[in-house]
Amino acid sequence: MPLLVGGAGSGKSEVIRLLGLAAENLTSQEKTPFAAHTFKWVNLHEIPSLQDMIHRSPNGGSKDFRAPLGDSPLTLFPTEIQSQIVRFATPSAKNLILGMNPSPVLHPDPQSQFIRDEILNYYSQKAGHPLSHKEILDALNRHVVVERRVLGLTYGTMPVIEAQGNNLDIQGLFMAPNPVVKFGAGAGPTHPMAWHFNGKILLANGGAVFLDEFFRNPDDLKNMLIGVFESRRLSNGGAPTVPRDAEMLAASNTA
């Protein structure tokens, strides 16, 4: 985790501002090779097993549900198709990252994995046989909409987190329980839909987290953040383990 150290007025905040601006510029241009995409789930009310776990709209349908970690649509494809896409895209990707081999996230977040499984199980039972790749893609196309994701402009993708003091907002940083699903739907505390993956650390997936005045945080939080950085995953309060795919940059005053 890179650490910027300097006194007041030495430019730490300016470096962070410029990095955020660079990310916004690189991902917002019309024909940029750095374009980022995510997806949202739609028409989930059509899947019986999901009806007690989603927000219903006034017209009886369901509200759109965005991939909570901003994952790429690549995570939803069958493994064989993922391999073909990665193999096709690797030469171009290597040119953008100084010759390094790309290592894209291939597994969806726990909530998207659960929703994907429920959708495919429903259509498989309806068809009376395991779904072919084409049938899987047809099913996903009915329930997935791809969206452009501009780093810095899309909410939460490049957060600056100030020193927390002694009153830690763990839920605001990581995840919070969803009591409607946790208790109302009888899903239980370890169910992926029983949590809101809306903390600042998780919303930044695919982007970057800037930790300002890092050493002014309590030791427990510093150790937790370093653990998240090293393991690239997060588990908190009995919630399912969530992968973390964000750069982390810290800054501290010399004092």
Side-chain angles (χ1 to χ4, degrees), residues 100-119:
M100 295 183 291
N101 284 316
S103 56
V105 174
L106 298 178
H107 302 287
D109 69 86
Q111 290 183 348
S112 295
Q113 180 71 63
F114 173 75
I115 293 172
R116 179 186 187 278
D117 290 346
E118 293 301 302
I119 289 172

Side-chain angles (χ1 to χ4, degrees), residues 5 21 24 32 44 107-108 112 122-123 134 147 183 205 215:
V5 179
L21 185 62
E24 180 182 322
T32 174
L44 294 183
H107 302 287
S112 295
Y122 170 74
Y123 285 105
K134 182 181 184 305
E147 296 184 319
F183 302 109
N205 258 23
F215 289 121

Side-chain angles (χ1 to χ4, degrees), residues 176-200:
N178 179 355
V180 174
V181 173
K182 190 173 183 179
F183 302 109
T190 60
H191 196 283
M193 300 300 288
W195 294 85
H196 292 298
F197 297 152
N198 57 359
K200 290 183 178 179

